[in-house]
Amino acid sequence: SLNYLGTYAFSWNDFTGRLVIPLSLEEIPASCFSSCLKITEVVIPEGVVKIGEEAFYRVGIRTVIFPESLRIIDDSAFEGSNYSGHLVLPSNIEYIGERAFAFTQITGIDFPEGLTFCGESAFYFDKELSGVLEFPASLKVIPDDCFAYCSKLEGLVIPSGLESIGSYAFRGCTSLAAITSKALVPPVMDSNNVFDEVPKDNFALEVPEESINAYRSAPYWNEFKRISSYSGFVCRPSSANVLNAG
C-alpha cells in the first residue's frame, strides 16, 4: 500500500474530476497536487493528520471531504483554489497556516473548538464569505490580515479569552454591521488599522456591561462611537456562520 508521496509528486497534472487519497497516507506533502486545475473534488480519508504547504495550491477543487483525524492545514494549502460553499473543518483541527484558504470562494466557516492557531492572511480576500463569525474560545489571537477584504462578512462574535487582534485583520470588511466582544479585558490591537474601512459609526460595539468603560478608554476600541452592553448575542444580519461559542 502507498504510504509516502513526495513534494510536487503530481503538481501541474491533468487529473480530472474526483481525487480520492489512499487510506494508507498520514500526510499530504507540500505542493503535492498544486496547480492541478482540473480536479474538482478531493476525498481525504481517516488517518491523514496533515495537509502540507501548498498541497492544493491553485487547484480546481470546489469541495473537500476532511477526515476527523486531520490536525494541521499548513501554509497556502488551498490558497487560490476554487473551493466554494461552506467550509466544515473536523473537530481535531488545531492549526491553520498562513494564507491556507486565501483567495477562495468559501461562503461560510465552521471552526471547531480546539483550534489554537490561525496564521496571517488565512482567509484573506475570501470575497464570498458572509454571515456572522463566532470565534472559538480556544483561539487567543486573530493575526494580521486574517479576514482582510472579506467584504460580505456581516458580523463578529469575539470570545472571552481572545488576547489580541493583528494589523489589518478585518480591513476592507465593509459589510460589517455587528460586533460583539465577550472579552472582559479588551483584546490588544496593534494599531488603528485593524478595522480599516469598516463603518464603525454605523453600529454599536456590544461588550460585557462591566467592561464598557474599559473599551471606551482602550486604544483603538475607543474609535467605536457607540459602545453598549449585551445580554446575549442576537444575529442581526440575515445569516450566521457559527464558530462555536466561547
Side-chain angles (χ1 to χ4, degrees), residues 1-232:
S1 60
L2 182 66
N3 55 27
Y4 175 81
L5 287 174
T7 303
Y8 294 102
F10 298 103
S11 63
W12 291 99
N13 202 289
D14 283 334
F15 291 140
T16 300
R18 192 171 192 249
L19 173 67
V20 180
I21 304 297
L23 289 169
S24 50
L25 286 179
E26 294 186 0
E27 177 179 347
I28 301 172
S31 302
C32 190
F33 298 97
S34 63
S35 300
C36 292
L37 304 179
K38 297 180 182 180
I39 295 175
T40 56
E41 181 182 4
V42 175
V43 179
I44 302 174
E46 286 297 329
V48 172
V49 296
K50 179 181 178 180
I51 298 174
E53 182 176 342
E54 297 187 2
F56 296 100
Y57 176 78
R58 294 186 66 244
V59 172
I61 54 172
R62 293 189 173 275
T63 59
V64 180
I65 299 174
F66 293 106
E68 284 299 306
S69 57
L70 189 63
R71 296 183 179 276
I72 298 169
I73 298 176
D74 216 337
D75 298 350
S76 299
F78 294 93
E79 181 180 354
S81 71
N82 289 335
Y83 200 132
S84 61
H86 203 90
L87 173 62
V88 180
L89 293 166
S91 59
N92 289 313
I93 282 287
E94 300 171 353
Y95 181 103
I96 295 175
E98 295 182 8
R99 304 176 74 89
F101 293 95
F103 297 102
T104 67
Q105 305 298 313
I106 59 174
T107 58
I109 309 169
D110 284 346
F111 280 171
E113 191 58 67
L115 179 72
T116 57
F117 181 88
C118 194
E120 293 182 11
S121 304
F123 299 92
Y124 183 85
F125 215 92
D126 286 347
K127 61 183 180 179
E128 299 303 320
L129 180 60
S130 62
V132 177
L133 297 182
E134 183 171 357
F135 296 95
S138 52
L139 193 64
K140 303 303 180 186
V141 177
I142 297 174
D144 297 356
D145 291 300
C146 195
F147 293 91
Y149 297 108
C150 293
S151 57
K152 292 185 179 181
L153 192 58
E154 297 170 83
L156 306 172
V157 183
I158 295 169
S160 58
L162 194 75
E163 297 173 357
S164 66
I165 305 176
S167 296
Y168 298 117
F170 298 101
R171 182 184 189 181
C173 294
T174 53
S175 295
L176 275 178
I179 300 177
T180 295
S181 177
K182 297 180 179 181
L184 291 173
V185 177
V188 173
M189 288 198 278
D190 288 347
S191 69
N192 65 351
N193 59 29
V194 170
F195 292 101
D196 200 23
E197 302 176 35
V198 171
K200 295 188 283 288
D201 293 343
N202 291 355
F203 59 91
L205 169 66
E206 297 185 350
V207 303
E209 184 173 5
E210 60 267 45
S211 300
I212 289 176
N213 288 335
Y215 279 85
R216 286 176 175 169
S217 60
Y220 313 125
W221 289 107
N222 57 14
E223 294 182 1
F224 288 87
K225 303 305 180 185
R226 290 184 288 158
I227 300 177
S228 60
S229 63
Y230 77 93
S231 57

